[in-house]
Amino acid sequence: MSVEDFEELVERAPRELRNRLEFLGGRLCIRHGPLDVEEFEELAEAAPETVRLEYVNGKVVVKAMPDGKHTSIFMWLLRQCMHQRPDLDLAPERGVKAEAYRKGRARTDGFLAPVNHFVEDGEWSAPDGTLMAVEITSHDRDTDQRDRVDKPVGYAGAAIPVYLLIDRDNCTTVVYSEPKDGRYQQAVSYPWGVTVPLPAPVGITLDTEQLKQFAD
């Protein structure tokens, strides 16, 4: 997040929240205790397009904007999903009510559900009836905590059947499945280049050989 983005966020934020926003060490911080979900949603709605806010583990975090390789990886996944499961939509950058009791707000890189599942939704979709959440790591300092630690807990807590993590740092594809009691019971890591089975209810097999061309 740049200083300019922070200043624009403050300018757009609801008046009662402006004096609670700080920019320290390149990070957005909240003064006087954490925001509640309703306050976060007000702030997120007011944010400029260049600032993608999430509410993860009780904290407001800024999700990095995707670069070209990030976008290409998503399109690779979208093509495979459309070819194998034309009855499903892989919605890009879809907001979801995550975590236990749906008190988190995550912006997925992809959210898989039956065709037209999201047609009546607002900015934040309930997880009911969805099949898979997808994250593609970005090269920012928060990706380790956000994508590898907090998101598996948040998506499992929302009982999303499968969480697919495409990890650009490690050149791996990690498949989390079988959510129970707020944790995924299975987490299997595959190196790029092998065939990756996505378990039920997704039922898609990924040929990840093409991912090698996106290695940094």
Side-chain angles (χ1 to χ4, degrees):
M1 186 182 194
S2 67
V3 174
E4 292 75 17
D5 283 339
F6 171 74
E7 290 176 345
E8 185 173 358
L9 176 63
V10 172
E11 184 177 336
R12 290 168 170 255
R15 186 176 301 275
E16 65 274 14
L17 297 179
R18 291 176 187 173
N19 66 350
R20 298 181 62 186
L21 304 180
E22 291 185 316
F23 192 60
L24 300 174
R27 283 190 171 95
L28 175 65
C29 300
I30 308 297
R31 300 174 60 198
H32 310 309
L35 301 182
D36 60 31
V37 172
E38 290 74 19
E39 290 173 325
F40 167 78
E41 289 187 344
E42 287 187 68
L43 181 63
E45 184 176 0
E49 292 183 0
T50 53
V51 178
R52 303 190 300 166
L53 298 180
E54 297 184 292
Y55 191 66
V56 179
N57 198 21
K59 298 178 181 179
V60 179
V61 296
V62 180
K63 187 168 184 175
M65 297 297 290
D67 59 15
K69 288 183 178 179
H70 187 289
T71 299
S72 295
I73 290 171
F74 176 81
M75 294 306 298
W76 161 84
L77 179 62
L78 176 62
R79 287 191 295 270
Q80 298 211 43
C81 291
M82 290 180 65
H83 176 70
Q84 297 182 49
R85 292 293 305 270
D87 57 318
L88 302 178
D89 282 339
L90 182 64
E93 300 184 10
R94 187 76 207 130
V96 58
K97 299 176 181 178
E99 302 179 4
Y101 311 112
R102 301 179 187 177
K103 292 296 185 182
R105 297 292 183 269
R107 296 189 187 276
T108 60
D109 287 324
F111 208 26
L112 190 69
V115 168
N116 295 330
H117 179 84
F118 304 109
V119 69
E120 299 294 338
D121 290 0
E123 184 173 2
W124 308 101
S125 295
D128 310 72
T130 58
L131 281 69
M132 180 173 71
V134 178
E135 296 293 348
I136 304 164
T137 60
S138 297
H139 297 310
D140 66 293
R141 59 186 176 181
D142 296 320
T143 196
D144 182 60
Q145 181 68 33
R146 181 183 62 241
D147 295 331
R148 302 185 186 104
V149 179
D150 291 333
K151 289 295 183 70
V153 174
Y155 293 149
I160 297 171
V162 177
Y163 168 41
L164 175 64
L165 173 62
I166 301 175
D167 195 324
R168 296 168 61 190
D169 294 322
N170 300 320
C171 293
T172 58
T173 302
V174 187
V175 181
Y176 297 84
S177 61
E178 299 181 24
K180 181 180 179 181
D181 299 328
R183 293 289 187 275
Y184 284 110
Q185 304 303 300
Q186 301 293 326
V188 184
S189 179
Y190 301 87
W192 287 1
V194 305
T195 299
V196 176
L198 301 181
V202 179
I204 291 172
T205 300
L206 300 177
D207 178 0
T208 66
E209 180 66 29
Q210 190 177 353
L211 289 178
K212 291 180 178 180
Q213 67 181 288
F214 305 125
D216 294 304

